[in-house]
Amino acid sequence: MTRVASQFSRSDWQAYTAIVRFLIAYPIALKQHLQRRRDPSEFRSVLDMRDIKAIINTQHPHMMILSSLSMLIRPMRLRDDGTGKLLALWTKLEGGIDSLQDAASRLNLVASMPLPISYSVHIARFIFLWVVTLPFALVELMHPLLVIFAMVFVSWALYATEELAQLMEDPFGTANKPETIPLDKYSRRIVDEVKEQILVQDILDLR
């Protein structure tokens, strides 16, 4: 979307800068939404305080940004002079917003659908019964002292697997659980790529 929006960086600089600021803020807002937290300090280098307050106080900050982007590009469709250039540009940008919304919906679905409780209870009970009854089978196959070490290893492996399954219920992490998907890393990468495209466009505009 940054590349498409750059087509009117010279004709409407104010709208262009507003769009790229919201595009930079979008991965940050989506990351915070998936992690179920709010941190206004991450937006201070991109947005003004009025926009930050509006984003932080809403339940879905990433959707607030997408709505703002739609409002920013709406006048382009009305200003079309009949050649269809602005209309085509608006269509591309609106399509990009739809793609961002679709991606956010898929990620939100992953974050909001934990494993069924019955499945977790069943796994916990099965592991408990396995660990309790396994020593009776091992004591006939090895020395009793070796059974102790074998049970320690088996118990650690099984319960560690169960703990990993519980962590995967919240792959994006929460205030009490570490993340299994490094959203901070991916968010920074997307922001850096958007900023790089903006820098390239600034260099081209100077020519």
Side-chain angles (χ1 to χ4, degrees):
M1 284 188 62
T2 306
R3 180 178 57 82
V4 177
S6 65
Q7 297 183 30
F8 61 97
S9 61
R10 297 183 180 181
S11 59
D12 195 343
W13 175 255
Q14 185 176 1
Y16 169 71
T17 54
I19 290 174
V20 296
R21 285 192 296 108
F22 280 119
L23 288 178
I24 293 174
Y26 177 76
I28 301 174
L30 180 58
K31 175 195 68 174
Q32 292 187 7
H33 174 70
L34 294 174
Q35 292 178 338
R36 304 170 195 171
R37 65 182 182 86
R38 298 290 186 272
D39 185 5
S41 63
E42 292 188 288
F43 297 100
R44 287 174 183 167
S45 61
V46 182
L47 303 175
D48 56 39
M49 288 305 301
R50 183 183 61 180
D51 292 331
I52 293 175
K53 289 181 179 178
I55 291 173
I56 293 299
N57 293 329
T58 186
Q59 186 176 1
H60 302 283
H62 60 293
M63 296 302 297
M64 179 73 177
I65 291 178
L66 293 182
S67 298
S68 299
L69 285 171
S70 292
M71 293 178 61
L72 281 172
I73 66 174
R74 185 179 302 172
M76 297 173 55
R77 182 178 59 175
L78 303 177
R79 293 202 311 264
D80 186 71
D81 56 2
T83 60
K85 181 179 179 180
L86 288 177
L87 184 61
L89 188 59
W90 173 84
T91 302
K92 288 184 178 180
L93 291 173
E94 193 65 36
I97 294 174
D98 290 340
S99 298
L100 292 176
Q101 183 174 354
D102 182 64
S105 299
R106 293 175 185 271
L107 291 173
N108 194 50
L109 185 63
V110 172
S112 60
M113 289 187 64
L115 294 174
I117 298 178
S118 58
Y119 175 83
S120 301
V121 173
H122 173 73
I123 291 298
R125 290 176 178 175
F126 175 80
I127 292 177
F128 175 76
L129 291 175
W130 179 270
V131 171
V132 169
T133 57
L134 183 60
F136 297 102
L138 294 180
V139 75
E140 298 180 358
L141 301 176
M142 60 181 65
H143 193 278
L145 290 178
L146 294 178
V147 173
I148 298 175
F149 294 103
M151 287 306 304
V152 170
F153 174 77
V154 171
S155 300
W156 170 81
L158 292 176
Y159 282 107
T161 303
E162 182 189 16
E163 180 67 19
L164 180 61
Q166 293 179 0
L167 289 176
M168 289 301 294
E169 292 182 7
D170 292 304
F172 306 116
T174 61
N176 301 319
K177 287 186 178 181
E179 61 182 8
T180 55
I181 298 178
L183 283 183
D184 288 327
K185 176 182 176 182
Y186 295 144
S187 175
R188 285 194 300 269
R189 183 181 300 176
I190 295 173
V191 170
D192 290 341
E193 289 179 358
V194 173
K195 289 182 178 180
E196 184 177 351
Q197 292 184 10
I198 296 172
L199 179 61
V200 170
Q201 185 60 38
D202 290 343
I203 295 175
L204 293 175
D205 287 342
L206 294 176
R207 293 183 178 179

